[in-house]
Amino acid sequence: MKYLALPLLLFPLTVLAADAEVTLAIKNNRFIPAELHVQAGKKIKLVVENQDAAAEEFESYELNREKVIAANSRGTLFIGPLAPGRYPFFGDFHQQTARGVVVAE
Ligand SMILES: [Cu+2]
């Protein structure tokens, strides 16, 4: 019995494991950096750090992701593995200024 438990314990860890971690900041309703370079074909843990006093919603149709990041807090998203290419994203609450792109290469 005890040997059976080990894979079950490891299973969630392996699923959640990312190959790389990148950080994106939000400051003055802008993403920094606005162009985020990641490795194609890898699962990426994207940490979004909102340094503003207002919430923002990270959104990307191409990445099929949408997540609200509260004021002065962090949120985590997993993206990929991505094919080489460009994947625009935007801040849904400040679309005029909060724009960026993930470049997978
Ligand atoms: Cu939205």
Side-chain angles (χ1 to χ4, degrees), residues 57 59 66 92:
E57 184 179 62
E59 188 158 351
E66 184 174 23
D92 203 12

Side-chain angles (χ1 to χ4, degrees), residues 57-59 61 66-67 90 92-93 95:
E57 184 179 62
F58 175 96
E59 188 158 351
Y61 304 126
E66 184 174 23
K67 187 166 183 154
F90 61 95
D92 203 12
F93 302 163
Q95 291 192 27

Side-chain angles (χ1 to χ4, degrees), residues 50-70:
N50 186 1
Q51 299 173 2
D52 284 344
E56 181 58 279
E57 184 179 62
F58 175 96
E59 188 158 351
S60 172
Y61 304 126
E62 289 77 6
L63 293 169
N64 191 26
R65 293 289 182 279
E66 184 174 23
K67 187 166 183 154
V68 173
I69 318 291

Side-chain angles (χ1 to χ4, degrees), residues 29-92:
N29 302 327
R30 290 174 191 277
F31 287 106
I32 302 165
E35 196 163 291
L36 201 57
H37 290 256
V38 302
Q39 271 189 284
K42 301 276 183 188
K43 191 167 189 171
I44 309 290
K45 180 180 177 182
L46 174 59
V47 177
V48 182
E49 191 181 293
N50 186 1
Q51 299 173 2
D52 284 344
E56 181 58 279
E57 184 179 62
F58 175 96
E59 188 158 351
S60 172
Y61 304 126
E62 289 77 6
L63 293 169
N64 191 26
R65 293 289 182 279
E66 184 174 23
K67 187 166 183 154
V68 173
I69 318 291
N72 299 310
S73 74
R74 288 170 164 231
T76 300
L77 299 108
F78 287 89
I79 58 174
L82 299 171
R86 297 174 68 86
Y87 302 81
F89 58 84
F90 61 95
D92 203 12

